[in-house]
Amino acid sequence: MSTEFHNLQELRHSVSVATKVFIQRDYSQGTTCRFQTKFPSELDSRIERTLLEDTVKTLNSYYAEAEKMGGQSYMEGCLACATAYLIFLCMETRYEKMLKKISGYIQEQNEKIYAPRGLLLTDPIERGMRVIEVSVFEDRGSSGSSHSSSVSSGGISQR
Amino acid sequence: MPNSVGKRFKPTKYIPVSTAATFLVGSTTLFFVFTCPWLTNTISPAVPLYNGVVFLFVLANFSMATFMDPGVFPKADEDEDKDDDFRAPLYKNVEIKGIQVRMKWCATCHFYRPPRCSHCSVCDNCVEDFDHHCPWVNNCIGRRNYRYFFLFLLSLSIHMVGVFSFGLLFVLHHMEQLGTLHTTVTLVVMCIAGLFFIPVMGLTGFHMVLVARGRTTNEQVTGKFRGGVNPFTRGCCGNIKYVLCAPLAPRYNGVDPRKKPPVSIQPPFIRPDLSDRQISIKVSNNGIHTSILQSKSKISLDGLAVDDKGLDTQPPLPPKAERYNQLKSQLTSSQDSSLSGKTHPSTPAMYKYRPSFGTIPKVHYHAAGEKIVMPDDHRKASAILEEGRCHVDYRSEPNLDLPDYRNAPLHRSFQSSPLQLDSYPINSSSLNLKQAHQRRDKGQLPVLQPETVTSTPYKSVFSPLSNRNSSLSYDSLLNPSISPATAAECMAHPGMPSMGSHSPYLPTKMCHVRGPEPQIQKQQVPPSFSPVGMGMSRGRQSPQDRDLSPVRYDNLSKTIMASIQERKEMEEREKLQHHGGCSQAQSYAQAQDSGMFDSSGGYGLPPSACYPDSPRDPSSRGPTPPAYRGSRDNLMGVVSYGPRTPVLRSSGGSSLARAPRTSSSSLHTDSSMQGGRVPETPCRSPPHQPHHSPAKPQSPSYTHKKLSFIHALERTDSPRLGGPREAMMQSKVNGQTDCHLGPNSSSAQGTTLSPSRHSNVKKVTGVGGTTYEISV
């Protein structure tokens, strides 16, 4: 799965996913979608705290807005009920729109901030909104340059 | 069957849904065909319209409930569960609005189920906000389709009420024509509606209550919030609003890979500035081990730092053992946490509840990162252990300075106060006073680490012996894998593994030091005189040393001083080795064996025969050489008479006896100063061990620690040393053993144990006033 969106083979320098760091959900406020803003220590040497925390906070705000029970969600529900839910075939719900926005945001963050640091954020929707997966890449040319936990390296090799 | 073995086509599971659909559609159709025309004509066309709308609503919700993804979680990737499968507990606790909620590990899906998530065995999926699996729609009801299910129930109830009422109206108006087709059909429809009315209405009412309470069927049926508070409730109105008006949740499964433009990742990678991050590492370091410390995961160091700070707040020489006990408990708990992974390798699915997680009620799932760190911790710790071990094991020179030990990770934790220097020469993992002084300058070492500290001196003291001693090699062998655990266990400190690893003796020593109490001694390791032996015994026992007896500082200090003394004695012994007297060791060993049993608390072993009247006769060096204090954690085999009679005996006997057992053959060799004994002692140890094992739990293994030569000396010197030492020793309940090495050349010793074993007993006075007797 890592090869879906990483053109690793096309790169001059070979990189490999050394490990994956998972930012877990923050359930302290219920089951609304929130991710922990606690900075994982494995990324200490790879990225500044503020950058990652900003990203996570922005994602949290997007998710909060997507799940907001306001006028728009109520109208959508009534409309769907009235049309016997046929409206879902034509229209995109607000949540889905937010998800697209989030996906675009993550893509942009990856391009601008994380890829230059050898990291890659995975959209949480692909993981069931349970974790934000941060893939840590290592430059094969300089092995050991970034020394992160090697726990999942074996797992990665299995993929 | 076209399907694979895993997914067989089971027609039976479609029976309920087929039945329900058949009844629903069929009945309604019949109603419309046979009843509605008359109603339209008689009452109004609004009747069929109304019924039509309701029926449409029922159908729509029924379809949505049946075909909509309820919120299935995709199974986790292998990478995600890597950390969890073998080291994680079955449950993780998470706090939701102040209420502890348990997240269970799903063995099928390989993740910790989010709150309110449950695994459906019919669908074999974890479903978000799992309500129940409804056979009538042949689907799980979860977060995404609960609203449709609820509306289906509501609308079906309304529909049934409507059909029944209009049918009744029709029948009442056609009472005289009950035999006609229309009436009959209407009656049949009414019967069906009436038949399903009770269950459907019951279910609807049930779910209305659930919605109002904000619970799922699963939670209600399992009684999760029976007596407590539901953290997921938003209040009655909020709950209703949530069910009816919340936006449709997204699908997780079947999410198309979303062909995004691939992100190219090319080195070189930007790295953040790390300078300030490593400062914390260096602070507790005296600077020598910077590299080692940096390689360790931060958490381990932080953990160390935390403990260190805790220790620093305490006075350098806590006069009471309570403080030490506190520290130890502190360590033990953290040690348990850190070591849980090691001790419970089974998967969470095997329902091994790890104390570490269990005892920590906070949001544990946070520690996805932490979990990653822990293996790091262990790995790095073991790496460091290896390093440390190298320092220890392969040093052959009896160098008191032990410059290498400075590098020991022990350093980190040793911020002993200057005052502790005497008691914990190990502070810097070496008995070297010079080094200790150096360390003092560094600042306060944590009091916590007296254990580690104490162990260090042993390491340093006996390093010369180790090379000679096979037992030492055993120690080093003991733990490339175990030492971290051992050390950690002994140390009871997550950060300690490195330190423990530093010397194989450390764990032993630590345990030794810690277990002065007689009853706790799990460490039965015969505290052979040699640290090696101690180390070994400790190493073996450390896994058992979960509950360490509190160590008294005064005892500890003496112990450490004793260790210092031992070093000196070692040197002296080496000189004296060339003296003869092989038998001495043996006889001593025997005596000590017997003595050990006594000390252990009355196992009443034979030694009593050997030491018939030691307690009573201080002057007689009989069974209990005066030097043998019963103190358990005596490092040196303190000899004392008097009140500690049983202890004394054991101490006396144990030192020798244990020594061989712990394979401290080197010790014996050294103690006895006779090369000839070396081969004998190893032979002795095995047989003794079984003997002492029963004793172990009772008597602190420290009694073992008596050096064989001490016994000899002690016996000789007992009359001389007994008095003052008794006083000293009696004050130490835990049996701190002082080594009394006295230059007692002749006399006493041989009498009870083995007259032939008389050797020169040399008395050496230790720093703390302890005297050690070295049999020459």
Side-chain angles (χ1 to χ4, degrees), chain B residues 700-761:
Chain B
S701 47
Y702 304 135
T703 52
H704 313 308
K705 282 196 164 184
K706 304 183 178 114
L707 299 170
S708 53
F709 65 82
I710 289 179
H711 294 301
L713 293 175
E714 291 172 342
R715 289 197 211 111
T716 8
D717 294 341
S718 60
R720 269 169 291 163
L721 305 172
R725 255 181 289 138
E726 280 179 9
M728 277 187 342
M729 296 183 192
Q730 289 167 17
S731 65
K732 296 161 195 160
V733 176
N734 281 351
Q736 172 180 350
T737 55
D738 297 342
C739 289
H740 303 275
L741 302 173
N744 193 0
S745 48
S746 61
S747 64
Q749 88 186 65
T751 321
T752 51
L753 298 179
S754 61
S756 60
R757 267 222 285 188
H758 146 58
S759 61
N760 295 336
V761 177

Side-chain angles (χ1 to χ4, degrees), chain A residues 11 13 20 24-25 27-28 36 42 44 73-74 81 85 99 107 116 127-130 137 146 149 151 155 159, chain B residues 57 61 73 77 79-80 83 96-97 111 114 245 250 252 261-262 265 267 270-272 277 365-366 369 372:
Chain A
L11 304 176
H13 300 258
K20 295 193 177 185
Q24 299 283 343
R25 278 273 292 268
Y27 292 108
S28 61
Q36 293 176 13
E42 295 83 0
D44 249 349
S73 69
Y74 182 69
C81 226
Y85 309 115
L99 286 179
Q107 177 81 4
R127 297 285 178 266
M129 306 275 271
R130 292 179 294 104
F137 287 90
S146 87
S149 165
V151 171
R159 300 183 72 180
Chain B
F57 202 60
N61 286 306
F73 283 111
D77 284 340
D79 297 334
E80 192 177 340
D83 300 333
I96 299 177
K97 295 181 184 172
F111 53 76
C245 309
Y252 304 139
I265 298 180
I270 302 171
R271 302 287 172 135
R277 214 173 289 119
Y365 64 86
H366 280 292
I372 295 174

Side-chain angles (χ1 to χ4, degrees), chain B residues 360-401:
Chain B
I360 302 175
K362 289 302 281 189
V363 181
H364 246 281
Y365 64 86
H366 280 292
E370 288 172 9
K371 275 192 264 183
I372 295 174
V373 170
M374 274 179 68
D376 263 356
D377 217 355
H378 290 299
R379 292 210 188 91
K380 289 177 181 166
S382 44
I384 293 178
L385 287 175
E386 315 261 42
E387 293 178 33
R389 196 175 303 111
C390 289
H391 289 298
V392 179
D393 294 344
Y394 309 123
R395 285 171 48 81
S396 51
E397 77 241 51
N399 180 7
L400 286 181
D401 285 351

Side-chain angles (χ1 to χ4, degrees), chain A residues 75-88, chain B residues 57 147-148:
Chain A
M75 292 302 297
E76 267 181 4
C78 288
L79 189 65
C81 226
T83 62
Y85 309 115
L86 295 172
I87 199 76
F88 291 137
Chain B
F57 202 60
R147 182 200 314 171
Y148 308 118

Side-chain angles (χ1 to χ4, degrees), chain A residues 1 4-8 11-15 19-32 36 38 40-49 66-70 73-74 76-77 81-82 84-85 88 93-96 99-100 103 106-107 110-111 115-123 125-131 133 137-139 145-152 154-159, chain B residues 56-57 60-61 64 68 72-84 87 92 94-98 103 109-116 128-129 143-144 147-148 151 231-232 234 238 241-253 255-258 260-274 277 295 298-299 363 365-373 375-376 379-380:
Chain A
M1 216 170 130
E4 281 178 357
F5 41 80
H6 308 318
N7 287 337
L8 302 177
L11 304 176
R12 282 187 305 273
H13 300 258
S14 59
V15 292
T19 184
K20 295 193 177 185
V21 179
F22 298 100
I23 300 174
Q24 299 283 343
R25 278 273 292 268
D26 175 14
Y27 292 108
S28 61
Q29 295 174 18
T31 50
T32 52
Q36 293 176 13
K38 179 173 94 93
S41 54
E42 295 83 0
L43 301 178
D44 249 349
S45 60
R46 300 302 298 257
I47 191 168
E48 291 83 359
R49 279 176 185 260
E67 292 187 351
K68 195 173 62 167
M69 285 190 295
S73 69
Y74 182 69
E76 267 181 4
C81 226
Y85 309 115
F88 291 137
T93 66
R94 188 158 145 270
Y95 209 121
E96 284 168 357
L99 286 179
K100 281 200 176 158
S103 181
I106 289 176
Q107 177 81 4
N110 274 336
E111 284 168 1
R117 289 168 173 78
L119 302 173
L120 197 75
L121 291 185
T122 304
D123 199 334
I125 194 73
E126 296 173 22
R127 297 285 178 266
M129 306 275 271
R130 292 179 294 104
V131 290
E133 187 178 302
F137 287 90
E138 251 190 89
D139 186 2
S145 59
S146 87
H147 193 17
S148 24
S149 165
S150 58
V151 171
S152 6
I156 293 170
S157 61
Q158 295 169 16
R159 300 183 72 180
Chain B
L56 195 64
F57 202 60
N61 286 306
M64 291 294 268
M68 177 168 270
V72 172
F73 283 111
K75 294 189 166 52
D77 284 340
E78 295 159 351
D79 297 334
E80 192 177 340
D81 67 7
K82 211 74 182 149
D83 300 333
D84 293 342
R87 275 181 293 270
K92 251 195 213 172
V94 76
E95 190 165 314
I96 299 177
K97 295 181 184 172
M103 299 203 304
C109 306
H110 302 293
F111 53 76
Y112 282 98
R113 295 178 194 149
R116 306 195 106 177
E128 188 177 9
D129 287 5
R143 179 184 174 192
R144 295 185 77 230
R147 182 200 314 171
Y148 308 118
L151 290 175
F232 308 107
R234 296 172 171 84
K241 195 177 157 197
Y242 176 74
V243 168
L244 298 179
C245 309
L248 178 61
R251 284 185 73 191
Y252 304 139
N253 242 359
V255 166
D256 54 344
R258 306 213 173 165
K260 332 173 233 209
V263 179
S264 68
I265 298 180
Q266 288 189 18
F269 299 136
I270 302 171
R271 302 287 172 135
D273 182 19
L274 301 176
R277 214 173 289 119
S295 66
K298 207 165 166 215
I299 285 186
V363 181
Y365 64 86
H366 280 292
E370 288 172 9
K371 275 192 264 183
I372 295 174
V373 170
D376 263 356
R379 292 210 188 91
K380 289 177 181 166

